[in-house]
Amino acid sequence: MMKIIFFSGLLLCASFCQAQTGSFVYDTRSDVYFTYPPRGAGGRAIVHDVDNVLTLNYDGDFTGGSKIGKTLFVGNNFQVGIGTSTPREALHIENGSLLVKKNLIGDLGAQLTLTNEFGNLNGAVRLNLNNGGAVSWIKGIVTGANISTGSAIAFGVPSTASEGKEVMRITGNGFLGIGTSSPEHKLDIVGTARAHQIIVNTQKTADFVFAPDYKNPSLEQIDAFIHENKHLPGIQSALQMEKEGLNVGQFQIDLLQKIEELTLHLIEKNKEMKDLKENMKVMQQE
């Protein structure tokens, strides 16, 4: 009876010890199996796969994923972690930076591409810049099948809204909108703008007023026009300015024309005053 108990104990110990030792097996087909029961079932650790591909953790046999060294982790859910074993996205870098480098003269250099294959059916790709939970973003947008007119790149800043707040957009036709997502001009600003200097290029000036053949409207004509229209001739009315806006470059030229016309009238009146004074002197001497 004691012998039976003794041998039964040896068998139990042997089976327990064998279960704890694990195995590392090469199956002669370029596949290597590894198992270590205390840490999981294991499976095909290294496989010479089809198309001459070396595969680690074939078919996700190691359910916890794969780890190389202390920093690179690949989960079975197709998420890669660098510096973390619990990646939250397809690529998660913890306590590190990403450097994309390409040294070629005359080439575009390094590129980072975000792609949405269905973008031409109303889609977008977005680059989020998260600073302590305050998320700014850059978003590429395509609306409709016409990529040239329906595409845009938008810039957003943090706000109380979950999606943040869009503050600037560049459309596919080259229009820049600040404070509007539908610019209608090369630069469209909803709000105020401040600059130390603005240069407006123009091919037209108002110096034609000083040409010998220019017919300067008489003061009587100007008076009649103002009485009928309630604004200067050649200048937009207040109603038209409110409806259509103001072309600053053209408006400056129009104002300059009025100044030059007024200067000609002052010069003419000055001559008349001199002639009047001379005639008064002559009359007094007589």
Side-chain angles (χ1 to χ4, degrees), residues 101-105 109-110:
K101 185 177 181 181
K102 183 179 181 182
N103 295 324
L104 285 177
I105 298 177

Side-chain angles (χ1 to χ4, degrees), residues 13 26 35 47 51-52 55 74 106 111 150 164 166 178 251 262 282:
C13 180
Y26 168 60
T35 60
V47 174
D51 298 326
N52 201 30
T55 301
V74 181
Q111 301 178 56
E166 179 180 326
I178 301 177
F251 188 63
L262 179 60
V282 173

Side-chain angles (χ1 to χ4, degrees), residues 209-267:
V209 171
F210 298 132
D213 58 348
Y214 179 73
K215 295 182 179 180
N216 193 12
S218 66
L219 293 177
E220 289 76 15
Q221 291 174 322
I222 296 174
D223 179 53
F225 185 93
I226 292 174
H227 182 75
E228 181 179 353
N229 299 281
K230 303 299 186 290
H231 66 87
L232 284 173
I235 300 296
Q236 290 175 290
S237 67
L239 183 62
Q240 188 177 2
M241 290 182 186
E242 293 171 2
K243 182 179 179 181
E244 301 176 3
L246 186 67
N247 186 326
V248 176
Q250 183 60 47
F251 188 63
Q252 291 297 315
I253 293 172
D254 292 341
L255 289 179
L256 179 60
Q257 178 180 343
K258 297 302 141 186
I259 293 173
E260 291 180 350
E261 289 174 349
L262 179 60
T263 301
L264 291 178
H265 282 298
L266 289 174
I267 292 173

Side-chain angles (χ1 to χ4, degrees), residues 154-172:
F155 300 83
V157 297
S159 74
T160 54
S162 59
E163 284 297 310
K165 178 183 179 181
E166 179 180 326
V167 293
M168 185 170 69
R169 176 177 294 212
I170 304 173
T171 62

Side-chain angles (χ1 to χ4, degrees), residues 107-118:
D107 192 79
L108 287 175
Q111 301 178 56
L112 180 63
T113 303
L114 306 179
T115 301
N116 180 357
E117 295 294 340
F118 298 99

